[in-house]
Amino acid sequence: MTQLNQRRPTMKDVAAHAQVSLSTVSYVLNDTGPVAPARRRRVLDAVRLLEYSPNESARKLKRRGPSTIGMVVPDLTNQFFAMVTKGVQEAASSRDVLVALVVPTAAELPEERQAELLRSQRVDGVIYLSGTGSIPAAIYEIARSGPVVLVDEQIPGSGLPAVVSTARKGAREVAAHVLAQGHRRVAVISGPPALWTARERLAGYREAFAGAGIDPDSIPVLAGDYEHESGQKLAAQLLSADPRPTALICANDLLAVGAMECCREMGLQVPADVSIIGFDDLPLSVFLTPRLTTVRQPAHEMGLQAASLLFDLLDGSEADTITELPTTLQLRESVCTPGDAV
C-alpha cells in the first residue's frame, strides 16, 4: 500500500532526473518555450517515472483558474448519498470548481477501476464516500498528489481526514428513547459490519441497552445492507420469533421502510404491534404512515463541510483530521408504548 506521507515529486526532481534545467521542465510542461526533441523526451519520461503532477492544485485554486475535484459515491438512488453529493456540488459551484462524479454502482466496472478512471482525469482532490468500508489502491495513489477527504465514514489507519456525524451518540439516544417507552423485547437490524457507520450505530445501541441494565448480547441482531429489501427480509425473520419483538431498531431509514413493509404483509400494525425506528432522516421519512421516528444526520451540511475541508487543504491550510457534525432525534409516530410493557 502506498504511504501517504511519501514526499511528492517536484519540478526540481524532474529536472534532476532528466538532467535539464528547471526552465526546460517548465517549457515542456507548460508548452511555453522551444525544447530540443531529445530533452523533451527525457523530461516527459521523468514525469511518468516519478509520477509528477504538473497541475499544482493549490496554486490553481489561489489564482481561481479552472480546476476539478472528484467525488466517489456508492449510489445516487439513496437519498442520503444524493443529499451529501448536493452539498459538495453547491460548495464547489460557489468556487467555480467542477465536480467529476463517479458512481461505481452505475457502471459495470469495479470500484477499483472507477477510481483509476478518476485518477486519469488528474483531479485536484477527491471526496470519497465509501460503500465498502475500504479504499481502492488508486485512491491512495491520488492522495500522493492531492488531498482526499472521506465523508460519512472513517477508515482506521488510512491517515485520511473525514467529515462524519455523531452517529454513535445518535444511536444511543434513539435506543434509549425506545427503552424509555417501556420496550424490552427489542431487536436490531444493523448495517454492513465492514462499514464504520454500521459499527458505530450498533455500538451506540448496545451502550443504551447496557445503560438500561439489559445485556447487549441478549438482543437479537441481524446485519443488513442498508437497502429496503434487506430490511424487509430480516424483519420477517425477527418478527417470526416467539415471543415477537415489540420494537425493531433499524440502522438506516431504508431498512426501516423494508421493516414497515414486512409488518403490512404480516398484518401487524405500526406502532401498535411493532414500533419501528430508523436512522438518517431521509425526506421520505415524513411521508410514511406512520411518520418514522429516526435520527437526523445533516447530510447536506456534511457534503458542504467535506468540500470546504478539501478546499482548505488545497489552499495549504491545516485542518482537523476528523470533523463531527451533530445528529438530532426526530421523534414521530412510529414508536409507542407496547401494550404488554413490563
Side-chain angles (χ1 to χ4, degrees):
M1 182 179 294
T2 301
Q3 295 296 318
L4 295 185
N5 59 1
Q6 182 175 338
R7 186 176 68 84
R8 301 176 191 170
T10 65
M11 285 182 62
K12 185 176 180 179
D13 296 327
V14 173
H17 192 277
Q19 296 183 331
V20 298
S21 67
L22 281 174
S23 61
T24 298
V25 175
S26 178
Y27 290 158
V28 172
L29 297 180
N30 299 308
D31 196 22
T32 55
V35 179
R39 290 190 175 187
R40 180 180 295 274
R41 282 195 299 271
R42 294 208 306 270
V43 170
L44 294 177
D45 287 343
V47 166
R48 284 190 290 269
L49 181 64
L50 299 176
E51 296 184 342
Y52 171 70
S53 176
N55 59 329
E56 296 174 47
S57 305
R59 185 182 64 187
K60 286 169 57 179
L61 281 177
K62 285 180 178 179
R63 70 170 183 253
R64 301 190 64 81
S67 57
T68 303
I69 63 171
M71 181 171 185
V72 180
V73 59
D75 181 7
L76 286 178
T77 63
N78 183 313
Q79 289 183 322
F80 177 78
F81 297 153
M83 289 189 292
V84 173
T85 302
K86 183 178 180 182
V88 170
Q89 290 177 323
E90 287 185 5
S93 177
S94 70
R95 296 184 62 137
D96 295 325
V97 173
L98 297 176
V99 179
L101 188 62
V102 174
V103 186
T105 57
E108 296 180 358
L109 295 174
E111 190 175 49
E112 179 67 38
R113 179 59 180 143
Q114 293 280 324
E116 290 175 0
L117 290 175
L118 188 59
R119 182 188 176 201
S120 72
Q121 299 301 308
R122 305 193 72 82
V123 296
D124 299 320
V126 172
I127 295 172
Y128 191 79
L129 206 168
S130 174
T132 62
S134 62
I135 302 176
I139 293 295
Y140 281 106
E141 289 298 313
I142 291 173
R144 293 182 59 194
S145 57
V148 173
V149 173
L150 304 178
V151 61
D152 191 42
E153 191 75 16
Q154 291 186 44
I155 308 294
S158 70
L160 296 176
V163 175
V164 298
S165 74
T166 55
R168 188 168 187 157
K169 175 176 178 288
R172 182 172 62 247
E173 290 175 345
V174 78
H177 169 72
V178 171
L179 297 173
Q181 301 308 300
H183 291 276
R184 289 301 178 268
R185 297 203 308 271
V186 179
V188 174
I189 301 178
S190 67
L195 293 180
W196 175 86
T197 57
R199 297 194 299 271
E200 283 293 289
R201 293 173 199 182
L202 182 58
Y205 301 146
R206 289 174 61 87
E207 288 173 357
F209 300 146
I214 300 172
D215 180 3
D217 292 333
S218 71
I219 301 297
V221 177
L222 295 180
D225 62 5
Y226 280 160
E227 298 293 338
H228 91 274
E229 294 88 352
S230 177
Q232 187 174 4
K233 177 182 177 181
L234 297 179
Q237 295 181 41
L238 293 169
L239 295 176
S240 296
D242 186 15
R244 184 177 64 233
T246 62
L248 289 182
I249 299 178
C250 302
N252 80 343
D253 289 351
L254 294 181
L255 290 172
V257 168
M260 293 177 75
E261 178 62 24
C262 173
C263 288
R264 284 190 287 271
E265 291 179 350
M266 296 179 69
L268 299 174
Q269 298 295 314
V270 179
D273 298 316
V274 183
S275 290
I276 303 291
I277 299 89
F279 201 107
D280 282 341
D281 194 28
L282 300 181
L284 63 81
S285 64
V286 295
F287 296 107
L288 299 173
T289 304
R291 298 188 308 157
L292 184 65
T293 289
T294 186
V295 177
R296 181 180 182 272
Q297 288 201 103
H300 182 264
E301 181 65 19
M302 290 169 72
L304 288 172
Q305 288 288 332
S308 177
L309 174 58
L310 185 69
F311 293 138
D312 285 346
L313 293 170
L314 286 168
D315 286 333
S317 302
E318 293 187 3
D320 293 336
T321 302
I322 303 298
T323 301
E324 278 193 328
L325 299 181
T327 54
T328 53
L329 292 184
Q330 303 295 318
L331 303 180
R332 302 189 181 111
E333 295 83 29
S334 68
V335 175
C336 73
T337 300
D340 58 350
V342 294

